Amino acid sequence: MKYLDTIKLDRITSEIRERSEFLDVRLEAYSCKMVTADKREWKITKAARKAMESSSSLFDPLELSSYNESLKMAAEGERPRHVSEPSCSHQDDVQLLTKQNQNFDEKFYREIFDLTSVLNISYPDYDFSLVRTDSFSLIPNFSTLVDMVNSKFDTLVRAFYELRPVLWASVNEVININDCTFYSYTPDFKNDPFSEPGVIWCFNYFFVNKSLKRVLLFTCRAFNRDPFPEEREEEAYEMD
């Protein structure tokens, strides 16, 4: 796993930050080609995942759930379609990435490994190696992801409408959106950068292009205007 220095992504990220002082935005591209250190880490992580799976019931066959749709389908009595099954409707059909069987699914965990490795590089002070796999969701299509990002930035980034075309064109140039699978990561807000003082919300999206062996991470943390309001209230109380 290697960080790819990309000028276009750096420029658009800087522009978004300048137009909204309370957002920590990151657009980062990574190569998924394994070097010796990655192979060693994958071997260790795979062994740990196997041990966890054999000793815990935390791992459900639907560990990588579809974005916001699994609950809806369950309520309607529908069976989620496995990614290996052909679609019989529109391209925005829900697809659940599941383990192929109850045994250890190496391909499944390798996908999780790539995503957690990206987070580990982006946030080196934290360790995502063994986060719950159901923290990752499969987003059904690119337009859904765009809507989620735009809905946040439209209200928080000054004149974001000016940046939208540049943002998505830059992303496409780096990762080739048409060949991507899209994921989101929902943190547990316990020991991660998304639970740091002042963080009020976040999003974490991944663009995975297997043919390019590349992952693009699009993450954002929104901070309170005063990142330490509780501490300041205590100080004011003590002064009184």
Side-chain angles (χ1 to χ4, degrees):
M1 188 68 64
K2 179 183 178 182
Y3 171 76
L4 303 175
D5 192 8
T6 311
I7 295 177
K8 282 185 175 292
L9 296 183
D10 292 342
R11 285 176 178 170
I12 189 64
T13 301
S14 297
E15 187 68 26
I16 293 173
R17 287 174 176 170
E18 289 175 5
R19 297 191 183 202
S20 182
E21 55 187 303
F22 306 114
L23 296 182
D24 172 30
V25 179
R26 303 186 186 195
L27 264 173
E28 301 170 344
Y30 295 86
S31 169
C32 292
K33 296 178 181 178
M34 278 192 172
V35 297
T36 302
D38 296 322
K39 293 177 181 178
R40 187 184 307 116
E41 185 63 29
W42 165 233
K43 186 176 181 180
I44 294 171
T45 302
K46 182 169 60 173
R49 290 287 188 188
K50 283 184 177 180
M52 292 172 67
E53 182 172 303
S54 63
S55 62
S56 173
S57 61
L58 289 177
F59 294 87
D60 187 271
L62 297 183
E63 286 178 296
L64 196 56
S65 57
S66 173
Y67 173 75
N68 271 349
E69 289 292 332
S70 56
L71 291 178
K72 175 183 176 183
M73 295 183 71
E76 295 174 351
E78 298 180 29
R79 181 182 67 83
R81 179 167 56 84
H82 189 278
V83 291
S84 63
E85 297 175 337
S87 172
C88 58
S89 58
H90 306 94
Q91 64 178 8
D92 60 350
D93 276 355
V94 174
Q95 294 186 349
L96 299 186
L97 181 58
T98 70
K99 293 167 57 179
Q100 297 296 320
N101 50 58
Q102 293 300 318
N103 298 321
F104 186 82
D105 190 335
E106 185 164 326
K107 181 180 178 181
F108 172 84
Y109 286 112
R110 172 58 200 277
E111 290 190 58
I112 299 296
F113 175 78
D114 287 343
L115 301 182
T116 56
S117 295
V118 166
L119 288 171
N120 282 336
I121 297 174
S122 187
Y123 296 100
D125 293 334
Y126 298 91
D127 186 6
F128 297 86
S129 300
L130 296 177
V131 298
R132 286 180 58 104
T133 55
D134 57 6
S135 298
F136 294 94
S137 300
L138 180 64
I139 300 175
N141 51 57
F142 176 61
S143 62
T144 298
L145 192 157
V146 169
D147 289 344
M148 292 188 291
V149 172
N150 289 348
S151 66
K152 294 289 189 183
F153 286 178
D154 279 340
T155 57
L156 295 173
V157 180
R158 291 187 298 275
F160 179 62
Y161 62 88
E162 298 175 348
L163 299 181
R164 274 193 218 143
V166 181
L167 167 62
W168 299 118
S170 299
V171 168
N172 186 52
E173 185 172 326
V174 172
I175 200 69
N176 192 2
I177 290 168
N178 288 334
D179 290 336
C180 285
T181 305
F182 311 101
Y183 301 97
S184 69
Y185 169 69
T186 303
D188 59 12
F189 299 105
K190 292 180 180 178
N191 183 28
D192 56 46
F194 315 108
S195 58
E196 291 180 355
V199 177
I200 54 178
W201 59 259
C202 67
F203 66 64
N204 304 281
Y205 301 130
F206 301 85
F207 300 66
V208 179
N209 189 317
K210 292 185 178 180
S211 61
L212 293 178
K213 295 185 178 180
R214 186 175 297 178
V215 175
L216 186 145
L217 172 66
F218 192 175
T219 181
C220 176
R221 296 185 297 170
F223 285 85
N224 194 303
R225 292 175 182 270
D226 183 351
F228 304 101
E230 295 180 359
E231 288 83 347
R232 301 198 194 286
E233 287 180 6
E234 291 178 1
E235 291 176 1
Y237 178 79
E238 291 174 357
M239 291 178 64
D240 292 342

